[in-house]
Amino acid sequence: MYGMLYESVQHYIQQEYGMETWRKVCQIVDCKHQSFKTHQIYPDKLMPDFAAALSASTGESFDFCMNFFGRCFVRFFSNFGYDKMIRSTGRYFCDFLQSIDNIHVQMRFTYPKMKSPSMQLTNMDDDGAVILYRSGRTGMSKYLIGQMTEVAKEFYGLDMTAYVLESQNDICGGTAGPIKLTDGPLTVIVKYRLDFDNRDYMAKRVNVIAHPSQLKMPSVDLNVFLELFPFTIVLDHDMKITLAGEKIVETWILHNPGVNPKSFIGSHIMDRFKCRRPKDTQVEWETILQMRTVLFEFELIRTGHNRAAYDAALNFDFDTFDEASSLNEAQAMALASAKEFSVEHAKEEASALTTSKDEIDPATGQRRHSVGLRSILLKGQMFYIKDVDSLIFLCSPLIENLDELHGIGLYLNDLNPHGLSRELVMAGWQHCSKLEIMFEKEEQRSDELEKSLELADSWKRQGDELLYSMIPRPIAERMRKSEEHVCQSFEEVSVIFIEVLNVYDSGSNNIQDAMQAVTTLNKVFSALDEEIISPFVYKVETVGMVYMAVSGAPDINPLHAEHACDLALRVMKKVKAHALPGVAIRVGINSGPVVAGVVGMKVPRYCLFGDTVNTASRMESSSDPWMIQLSNYTALKVRKVGYKVEARGFVKVKGKGEMETYWLLEGPE
Ligand code: HEM
Ligand SMILES: Nc1nc2c(ncn2[C@@H]2O[C@H](COP(=O)(O)OP(=O)(O)OP(=O)(O)O)[C@@H](O)[C@H]2O)c(=O)[nH]1
């Protein structure tokens, strides 16, 4: 489905429910799009998925959300100036309801791959109307209610309520896209009752009979019509072609070489055409009489055109088929013609035939591209002519541009000058070329926008990573939310100091030694970084050869002593495994209260303050190479939970006097 519909969803969810809800909806749907490109096509199922996600995020029902999206779409397309188009459809809401199909058809240049629904007004009265909606998508029926309600209110000042009278295949909340209950796409058909004040429109219709233009006029010979509209066909009650314009007969012969030219007249319309719009229409007298306000599209059948019937006829097993089974006349006729067809076109010829890809794609109503003549699409209305008790299909070929005109073997002169078909072709042709340029530019701009969004995103990520390497993430998030400087006191944490020994002889002036020292130190510190497992342990800083970490801040962690010891044991093992020549480490750990906060603006640092830190540093500076020295308090804490510690005795510690300390030997079993 085109991105414009999703743009409206994104816009109004953000506007009415906020960015947070939009982010949540995208998360639930796992939608990666930062934005939607108006003319790009996205999966149909995104729409019901967004509705289900919004429903889950807000508690509103799925139907309510789909209805909301429909309303959003109408409010949103005014940004593109389409509201003028709605206003120009007619004075009354019923005029609009009869023109929705036309609106989509007129959009086919702007949205060439549109698979638009078809809407048909089947009944009207003073209190409203009945409309038939057909679509190849499921789950959109409430979306349409939202659209119609919004149009009625916004453009016609009407309060309208709509409800479903009956529906086929409309599995509400199902994934969009044709339901393949059988082997072909099935159409969703929904009949709505629309309740609104329709008295003015109905009164106007009554006046038409009394209108001055309705003065009794002499009847016109039908042949005049056929001259004016050379693609017209006239149908009797059996829907057989009784008369036809010269151009449609010529085109039929052109597209069906070798046929008997006279066999066009007298044949059933469905033997010569496929009804493309409205989809799945029963082309019978009574049904068509009800649909005189509808725009029909009939596609001329070409030899070898109908691939599915073609294959079916070739693959049908006539020998074992039980003729006795009760076929009705039409089925018997179809079977006979299929039998004749399969005899004429033996299987081996089938592969030789170019699969005619140029017929109209049933799902999209668009022409498939191929070489050779394309089939022709006739668009028009069915009118009942009382004088001859016939239906006349007053139509013109639907041709997008000059390429299309040549593709179906026609020329501008074949088109009736007064019907503006020629102008449409030329306009379409110019329009298309202008549009193509516009699209390319728009695509370029949206690609650039997408790239800059991604670039901004990656810069933001890098910035965040840099920030989080200086300040713990929870602190950074809090700082982002408020200007206040974050300063916190913690009852108990464990501080770890690790010093790398024999990396650099401070007496040496040799540059080589210094560079070697940096490389070695970087290797060791990187190995230590890999052992920092957030949020259990947080790296605070490195000063010279000393690496400082903490457990229990900024995330409070009752197992801070254990996690500090585990880190020390892992680090010891890891650096030993690196076996860097001459290099050793010594570790000190102490537990107790600290105050922690961010200091500095230029290069903000998360710092710890308090005697606990000083003591931990002393535990390290008075430790031995390859040993982990614990303060008395920390040792007793971890010994209780199975860590193996060994009393080192009393150690003279600078600024602390005699302190009883312990070696940490192993973690618990
Ligand atoms: C006036 C400007 C309008 C434009 C430019 C427009 C365009 C579109 C486009 C591009 C799609 C997506 C189709 C696809 O991607 O295959 C669409 C779908 C749809 N449109 Fe319109 N539309 C317009 C007005 C309306 C109105 C007024 C209604 C009904 C009141 C309507 C009913 C629908 C529905 C129900 C769908 C969903 C597709 C489906 O059910 O299969 N549209 N339209
Ligand atoms: N890396 C680092 N070391 C710290 C921190 N706070 C204290 N220390 C060290 O802990 C040890 C004891 O600190 P104090 O008791 O204040 O001693 P001092 O007089 O400041 O420093 P000395 O000259 O080592 O005695 C000192 O070596 C400090 O460098 C800190 O936040 N980061």
Side-chain angles (χ1 to χ4, degrees):
M1 204 183 286
Y2 273 96
M4 179 175 67
L5 285 81
Y6 295 120
E7 281 182 285
S8 65
V9 168
Q10 175 178 9
H11 177 82
Y12 282 101
I13 289 183
Q14 288 174 349
Q15 180 173 301
E16 315 232 341
Y17 292 96
M19 284 303 290
E20 215 30 59
T21 304
W22 172 247
R23 266 196 283 276
K24 205 167 153 200
V25 163
C26 288
Q27 208 177 8
I28 295 172
V29 178
D30 191 19
C31 170
K32 301 272 186 286
H33 304 290
Q34 300 268 355
S35 60
F36 292 97
K37 294 178 193 162
T38 308
H39 294 99
Q40 179 163 323
I41 293 191
Y42 297 86
D44 287 354
K45 75 186 288 295
L46 259 182
M47 191 64 83
D49 288 356
F50 274 141
L54 183 64
S55 166
S57 314
T58 59
E60 300 288 1
S61 73
F62 174 86
D63 283 2
F64 173 88
C65 296
M66 277 310 257
N67 184 302
F68 168 63
F69 291 166
R71 285 184 285 117
C72 298
F73 177 64
V74 174
R75 289 151 69 188
F76 187 77
F77 69 38
S78 308
N79 304 331
F80 294 82
Y82 293 137
D83 50 332
K84 296 182 189 65
M85 185 183 276
I86 302 286
R87 289 184 208 283
S88 63
T89 51
R91 283 181 191 76
Y92 301 94
F93 184 51
C94 270
D95 294 323
F96 157 75
L97 290 174
Q98 298 176 61
S99 330
I100 304 176
D101 273 9
N102 230 5
I103 291 172
H104 283 129
V105 169
Q106 278 154 18
M107 290 291 150
R108 70 180 193 289
F109 295 126
T110 318
Y111 302 94
K113 294 199 183 74
M114 185 200 285
K115 288 186 273 180
S116 60
S118 71
M119 256 72 86
Q120 174 202 336
L121 198 58
T122 56
N123 205 346
M124 287 176 274
D125 53 48
D126 283 353
D127 304 317
V130 173
I131 190 165
L132 206 55
Y133 154 79
R134 285 183 173 81
S135 169
R137 296 183 175 88
T138 58
M140 299 299 283
S141 58
K142 304 304 182 299
Y143 184 86
L144 175 57
I145 290 182
Q147 288 174 303
M148 294 189 289
T149 313
E150 193 68 19
V151 168
K153 189 178 76 175
E154 282 300 305
F155 298 105
Y156 297 93
L158 288 171
D159 282 332
M160 183 198 86
T161 47
Y163 48 91
V164 175
L165 292 174
E166 51 188 298
S167 71
Q168 167 197 313
N169 293 326
D170 179 35
I171 299 176
C172 198
T175 52
I179 315 170
K180 295 206 186 289
L181 298 181
T182 59
D183 58 356
L186 276 174
T187 301
V188 170
I189 302 180
V190 181
K191 184 181 268 189
Y192 297 94
R193 170 66 197 175
L194 310 180
D195 286 341
F196 57 90
D197 181 354
N198 195 29
R199 283 168 297 181
D200 294 353
Y201 179 78
M202 295 309 283
K204 180 212 79 164
R205 274 165 52 89
V206 170
N207 296 342
V208 160
I209 295 152
H211 194 277
S213 66
Q214 299 301 316
L215 299 177
K216 202 67 201 119
M217 312 277 265
S219 59
V220 173
D221 182 320
L222 208 49
N223 287 310
V224 172
F225 266 111
L226 300 182
E227 272 163 46
L228 292 174
F229 295 93
F231 288 89
T232 291
I233 52 177
V234 180
L235 303 163
D236 64 13
H237 282 242
D238 300 329
M239 300 309 281
K240 285 198 176 145
I241 301 168
T242 53
L243 275 173
E246 60 170 317
K247 288 300 174 192
I248 188 57
V249 180
E250 278 172 23
T251 311
W252 174 71
I253 293 167
L254 182 69
H255 283 243
N256 292 277
V259 290
N260 166 5
K262 292 194 174 58
S263 61
F264 187 76
I265 302 293
S267 56
H268 190 280
I269 182 172
M270 296 310 279
D271 291 339
R272 302 293 175 235
F273 295 91
K274 292 167 79 79
C275 179
R276 284 290 167 219
R277 292 181 75 84
K279 297 178 179 81
D280 289 7
T281 302
Q282 297 299 322
V283 181
E284 289 148 4
W285 179 267
E286 287 313 321
T287 318
I288 301 298
L289 272 186
Q290 294 292 326
M291 300 168 72
R292 277 170 285 170
T293 59
V294 172
L295 282 168
F296 285 88
E297 281 177 23
F298 280 93
E299 176 199 333
L300 186 68
I301 293 176
R302 305 175 59 244
T303 312
H305 153 74
N306 187 332
R307 191 78 222 160
Y310 187 94
D311 294 346
L314 286 184
N315 300 319
F316 193 88
D317 184 353
F318 293 97
D319 305 338
T320 57
F321 178 70
D322 171 11
E323 293 273 352
S325 63
S326 56
L327 292 177
N328 64 30
E329 192 195 336
Q331 286 167 328
M333 277 175 61
L335 195 64
S337 60
K339 205 168 190 173
E340 181 195 323
F341 186 91
S342 65
V343 169
E344 279 165 27
H345 298 71
K347 274 209 171 78
E348 57 281 2
E349 273 186 30
S351 52
L353 270 165
T354 50
T355 44
S356 56
K357 284 268 174 289
D358 71 325
E359 73 272 21
I360 310 292
D361 175 349
T364 64
Q366 303 295 319
R367 297 178 194 292
R368 291 193 185 121
H369 295 293
S370 77
V371 290
L373 286 180
R374 293 180 188 158
S375 67
I376 181 172
L377 210 54
L378 298 176
K379 179 179 161 60
Q381 271 181 292
M382 292 281 186
F383 291 98
Y384 174 65
I385 310 286
K386 215 161 92 192
D387 305 13
V388 289
D389 188 23
S390 298
L391 278 171
I392 181 167
F393 179 43
L394 222 42
C395 62
S396 302
L398 197 57
I399 300 165
E400 293 186 357
N401 51 46
L402 293 177
D403 301 341
E404 182 95 30
L405 185 71
H406 300 146
I408 53 180
L410 289 178
Y411 294 86
L412 283 173
N413 274 348
D414 294 324
L415 305 179
N416 41 315
H418 50 78
L420 297 182
S421 311
R422 301 183 190 187
E423 281 64 20
L424 264 179
V425 174
M426 295 310 288
W429 179 55
Q430 287 151 24
H431 194 56
C432 282
S433 37
K434 259 190 257 165
L435 276 173
E436 253 143 51
I437 296 163
M438 274 166 56
F439 283 163
E440 271 150 32
K441 283 199 183 122
E442 195 233 0
E443 287 288 314
Q444 230 170 348
R445 271 200 296 276
S446 21
D447 287 345
E448 282 156 17
L449 176 69
E450 194 84 17
K451 283 197 187 86
S452 45
L453 278 172
E454 278 158 15
L455 204 57
D457 230 10
S458 70
W459 284 343
K460 182 179 172 303
R461 266 199 309 278
Q462 287 166 29
D464 287 349
E465 273 149 30
L466 197 61
L467 181 64
Y468 299 150
S469 67
M470 293 191 284
I471 305 176
R473 188 183 188 117
I475 303 294
E477 301 300 349
R478 283 172 52 192
M479 285 177 71
R480 205 178 260 146
K481 284 189 189 130
S482 66
E483 292 312 308
E484 88 186 80
H485 270 280
V486 178
C487 182
Q488 241 177 313
S489 70
F490 294 88
E491 262 176 53
E492 196 170 83
V493 302
S494 287
V495 180
I496 310 110
F497 276 86
I498 303 164
E499 185 169 1
V500 186
L501 307 171
N502 320 328
V503 169
Y504 178 57
D505 169 5
S506 51
S508 147
N509 294 328
N510 179 322
I511 295 291
Q512 285 308 329
D513 293 353
M515 291 184 54
Q516 181 52 43
V518 170
T519 313
T520 308
L521 198 57
N522 182 45
K523 223 179 252 174
V524 178
F525 279 178
S526 307
L528 303 190
D529 285 347
E530 285 164 6
E531 297 305 322
I532 295 290
I533 304 166
S534 165
F536 308 114
V537 192
Y538 173 69
K539 173 182 180 184
V540 176
E541 63 183 13
T542 56
V543 176
M545 310 297 167
V546 175
Y547 187 106
M548 177 182 174
V550 64
S551 174
D555 299 289
I556 292 176
N557 169 10
L559 303 178
H560 54 82
E562 291 86 330
H563 286 141
C565 293
D566 293 344
L567 171 69
L569 290 164
R570 285 199 308 270
V571 159
M572 197 55 85
K573 199 168 157 201
K574 188 163 196 174
V575 176
K576 270 186 184 156
H578 273 55
L580 296 166
V583 171
I585 60 168
R586 66 185 179 199
V587 183
I589 301 175
N590 180 39
S591 311
V594 295
V595 168
V598 177
V599 289
M601 286 304 286
K602 283 273 182 247
V603 182
R605 307 306 312 242
Y606 184 65
C607 297
L608 304 180
F609 305 90
D611 191 51
T612 304
V613 180
N614 302 342
T615 309
S617 170
R618 295 298 191 219
M619 288 297 102
E620 175 271 307
S621 55
S622 61
S623 177
D624 287 348
W626 301 118
M627 296 303 281
I628 301 165
Q629 181 170 236
L630 307 182
S631 66
N632 176 18
Y633 181 72
T634 305
L636 298 184
K637 263 181 84 71
V638 294
R639 185 164 61 183
K640 276 188 231 143
V641 289
Y643 283 76
K644 286 193 180 43
V645 296
E646 180 190 275
R648 181 184 184 189
F650 283 85
V651 176
K652 193 165 174 26
V653 175
K654 186 177 178 190
K656 310 284 170 204
E658 293 283 317
M659 281 188 71
E660 186 183 18
T661 67
Y662 289 78
W663 295 124
L664 170 65
L665 304 177
E666 274 176 45
E669 291 302 321

